[in-house]
Amino acid sequence: MTKPKVFVSRIIPAAGLDQVKAHCEVDLWTERMPPPYEVLTERVRGVDGLLCLLTDRIDPALMDAAGPQLKVISQMAVGYDNIHIPAAAERGIPVGHTPGVLTEATADLTFALLLAAARRIVEGVNYIKAGKWETWEPETLLGADLAGAKLGIIGYGRIGRAVAKRASGFDMNLIAYDPTISAEDAARLGITLVELDTLLAESDFVTVHTPLTAETRHLINHDTLHKMKRSAILINTARGPIVDPGALYDALKAGTIAYAALDVTEPEPIAADHPLLSLPNLTIVPHIGSASVRTRNQMAEIAAANLLAGLRGKPLPHQVPNR
Ligand code: DGY
């Protein structure tokens, strides 16, 4: 029996790749950088399945270039804002993603950034490297306390809730903004839901855990930054374009907010000479929220399982809703 043809747009952990290789004829993109859009469009011609990453733009033209035999698109990520979901739905192509397995790793990184920002860890490291550590000083590198501080969580889905669990352990007070959650669900989850303006005005720390949609693009902008406390610390481990980078630069430079720590940026990757990187009150790491060994292995396994299910015409174990 002939094996289905698939294109895999990067080398992924063997936990998933070996499964795909065992059941498919695989065209594997082996370079470090993602395939350029035009190359991707060529390579998907005639494939039955596509295993892709968040760095690939999967739009209607690419789906048409692949052809009507394309049975499944499987993304190794929970977020799928790079894929045109309505176009896939119109063409009857199920799209898979990898929710759940990266919740804890992403919440861990969020908390690592929150603690690093609160206690000025990166500034401290740079302080020593610059030869400035000459004595113990009563008022040098003073940061913010977590205990008793208010954490505002924008987006109270899986990752937002996992962050809340960690914050509770640090005796933080929690509020959340999430228009998709009902009052009954909030009561069941034990979270106080507030309007966005209230969250921005009251929170000592604001952390973003909402998907990137038309509604959330630049949700954190000049206006919303000016509604935050001057002492506030902003964390974003969701998607870069939720925060307007120009507005964030102005706010950090002017002291409108105290500090920001980001795992994601707009654009991504951010250039080493980007003005944001010149600011002392900002820490950026390179989109590593899910980058633990176990998590990436599980993501690869789920991406493979979604792909193979789609190729067999079966329901995907983790299918993106058709919206
Ligand atoms: C995702 O899965 O959407 C993360 O951004 C990368 O793991």
Side-chain angles (χ1 to χ4, degrees):
M1 206 176 78
T2 58
K3 290 180 172 178
K5 285 187 190 149
V6 300
F7 182 72
V8 179
S9 73
R10 216 83 65 78
I11 296 176
I12 63 168
L17 191 53
D18 287 352
Q19 282 299 311
V20 178
K21 283 180 173 166
H23 296 97
C24 307
E25 185 187 319
V26 181
D27 180 9
L28 175 64
W29 184 259
T30 54
E31 293 184 26
R32 175 172 176 240
M33 299 304 285
Y37 176 77
E38 293 69 28
V39 176
L40 184 59
T41 305
E42 279 308 310
R43 295 284 277 264
V44 297
R45 278 185 204 285
V47 298
D48 302 297
L50 168 61
L51 197 156
C52 57
L53 303 186
L54 52 81
T55 41
D56 303 315
R57 173 157 58 96
I58 311 296
D59 62 9
L62 185 131
M63 294 175 201
D64 289 339
Q69 79 298 325
L70 181 63
K71 290 188 186 65
V72 57
I73 297 169
S74 172
Q75 163 127 312
M76 196 185 109
V78 64
Y80 45 82
D81 46 276
N82 57 312
I83 303 176
H84 198 301
I85 299 300
E90 274 166 29
R91 290 159 181 74
I93 306 167
V95 177
H97 68 147
T98 65
V101 290
L102 47 75
T103 301
E104 305 303 332
T106 307
D108 285 348
L109 186 86
T110 304
F111 228 76
L113 288 175
L114 191 151
L115 277 165
R119 299 307 303 274
R120 305 176 61 179
I121 300 296
V122 176
E123 284 169 274
V125 170
N126 292 336
Y127 181 83
I128 296 175
K129 286 186 181 166
K132 293 183 182 164
W133 189 17
E134 292 172 324
T135 182
W136 186 91
E137 292 177 274
E139 292 192 293
T140 295
L141 288 171
L142 304 187
D145 286 299
L146 268 62
K150 193 169 270 187
L151 174 65
I153 303 174
I154 298 178
Y156 207 63
R158 275 180 292 255
I159 297 173
R161 291 174 214 175
V163 170
K165 195 167 147 194
R166 285 154 180 75
S168 299
F170 281 78
D171 288 337
M172 298 183 85
N173 298 314
L174 308 178
I175 51 176
Y177 165 70
D178 191 330
T180 69
I181 290 187
S182 66
E184 294 73 43
D185 282 344
R188 185 176 48 78
L189 294 166
I191 187 71
T192 304
L193 283 186
V194 294
E195 291 302 321
L196 181 60
D197 282 359
T198 308
L199 181 144
L200 296 169
E202 291 186 359
S203 299
D204 301 298
F205 297 83
V206 173
T207 185
V208 180
H209 300 290
T210 181
L212 175 63
T213 62
E215 290 74 38
T216 63
R217 185 174 291 275
H218 289 189
L219 181 73
I220 304 297
N221 54 38
H222 175 85
D223 289 347
T224 46
L225 285 161
H226 277 81
K227 289 176 179 164
M228 291 168 67
K229 293 184 179 181
R230 289 184 82 80
S231 56
I233 291 174
L234 172 70
I235 317 292
N236 183 13
T237 59
R239 282 291 183 268
I242 298 169
V243 177
D244 176 343
L248 180 63
Y249 176 85
D250 291 343
L252 290 170
K253 185 93 180 157
T256 308
I257 66 167
Y259 204 104
L262 313 175
D263 181 40
V264 289
T265 58
E266 183 189 34
E268 211 168 279
I270 195 160
D273 61 355
H274 192 284
L276 274 172
L277 295 179
S278 67
L279 297 171
N281 50 347
L282 175 77
T283 294
I284 305 184
V285 292
H287 204 150
I288 53 171
S290 65
S292 75
V293 174
R294 185 178 69 191
T295 298
R296 287 284 166 85
N297 283 340
Q298 290 175 330
M299 289 167 69
E301 277 169 13
I302 293 177
N306 283 335
L307 182 82
L308 296 178
L311 291 170
R312 290 170 189 143
K314 301 247 167 68
L316 312 194
H318 295 282
Q319 185 166 335
V320 170
N322 276 347
R323 273 186 271 112

